[in-house]
Amino acid sequence: MRWRRCGEHAALFDCDSLARMRAAHATVSAARPSGVVELVPGARVLLVTERPGSGALEAVRALLDDADLDHPPAGDAREVTLDVHYDGEDLELVAKDAGMSAGDVVELHTSAEYTVAFTGFAPGFGYLTGLPEALRQPRLPTPRTRVPAGSLGIAGEFTGVYPRESPGGWRLLGHTGAVLFDPRAERPSLLAPGVRVRFRSVP
């Protein structure tokens, strides 16, 4: 794990894998050294910001140097179930490329338990790990200019839901009516790093 200063009061911890980043995030979240202002996980990096003069960055660095990242503490205990209409534009394409029926794709996708590894791209967009190997497929060669809010997609090792209308290149399996991001809510984002997610197929 490599340490890089990021301005005067923040640091980036570069990790060699997504699993390593998740372990580092869970470790710091559980210990929460005094003076840590914010933790922002990414695919292979963890950003830590500190209160000026607190020495929190050095405390986090020491914590991670001594941590057993192969056995990190448990993360957010919440579990969210999202009802999905599996009627996506790319469902048949995904099925064809996976060598299975559309029904098999739905069954496989709903049988897995997912975990929010990190958020980004748009407020409330969670990158969920746990996608079965048989469903891992690349992004579309040409992104769509408009993906409706609530669209459920897959790309590489991730699955996720578009919280608002936006461009996007993920392969779309269906859509949900769940509100992923509400800036007026006490907890604006439904999904946060560590939250477990399940998808339930509905007519």
Side-chain angles (χ1 to χ4, degrees):
M1 188 174 296
R2 187 164 65 101
W3 155 283
R4 291 186 288 152
R5 293 302 296 243
C6 186
E8 294 184 36
H9 308 298
L12 289 167
F13 292 90
D14 291 320
C15 307
D16 57 9
S17 68
L18 176 61
R20 210 75 170 163
M21 183 285 299
R22 289 178 56 192
H25 180 261
T27 299
V28 180
S29 294
R32 203 70 187 198
S34 176
V36 171
V37 175
E38 189 174 21
L39 298 175
V40 183
R44 301 289 187 275
V45 70
L46 176 64
L47 173 70
V48 183
T49 59
E50 69 172 356
R51 187 177 66 250
S54 66
L57 295 181
E58 291 300 331
V60 169
R61 185 175 186 178
L63 173 68
L64 293 177
D65 282 345
D66 293 337
D68 179 4
L69 296 183
D70 292 325
H71 301 89
D76 194 323
R78 288 187 298 133
E79 181 172 306
V80 172
T81 298
L82 299 178
D83 289 338
V84 174
H85 301 276
Y86 282 89
D87 55 1
E89 294 178 53
D90 302 314
L91 180 58
E92 293 295 338
L93 172 64
V94 170
K96 178 182 176 182
D97 286 357
M100 61 181 71
S101 70
D104 289 338
V105 170
V106 174
E107 184 175 353
L108 194 55
H109 193 263
T110 55
S111 68
E113 180 181 86
Y114 303 91
T115 303
V116 181
F118 57 97
T119 58
F121 173 65
F125 189 97
Y127 288 77
L128 279 57
T129 59
L131 185 67
E133 187 73 35
L135 295 182
R136 297 182 184 184
Q137 299 183 10
R139 290 170 170 79
L140 297 172
T142 303
R144 292 182 171 91
T145 57
R146 176 184 174 276
V147 175
S151 295
L152 166 68
I154 59 173
E157 63 185 303
F158 300 110
T159 190
V161 178
Y162 288 79
R164 64 184 185 191
E165 182 180 312
S166 68
W170 290 30
R171 298 183 180 213
L172 305 181
L173 300 182
H175 72 280
T176 177
V179 176
L180 277 293
F181 184 76
D182 181 358
R184 298 162 297 183
E186 181 179 349
R187 193 197 300 265
S189 183
L190 178 64
L191 304 181
V195 171
R196 290 172 294 144
V197 180
R198 286 191 176 277
F199 295 103
R200 179 168 54 203
S201 178
V202 296

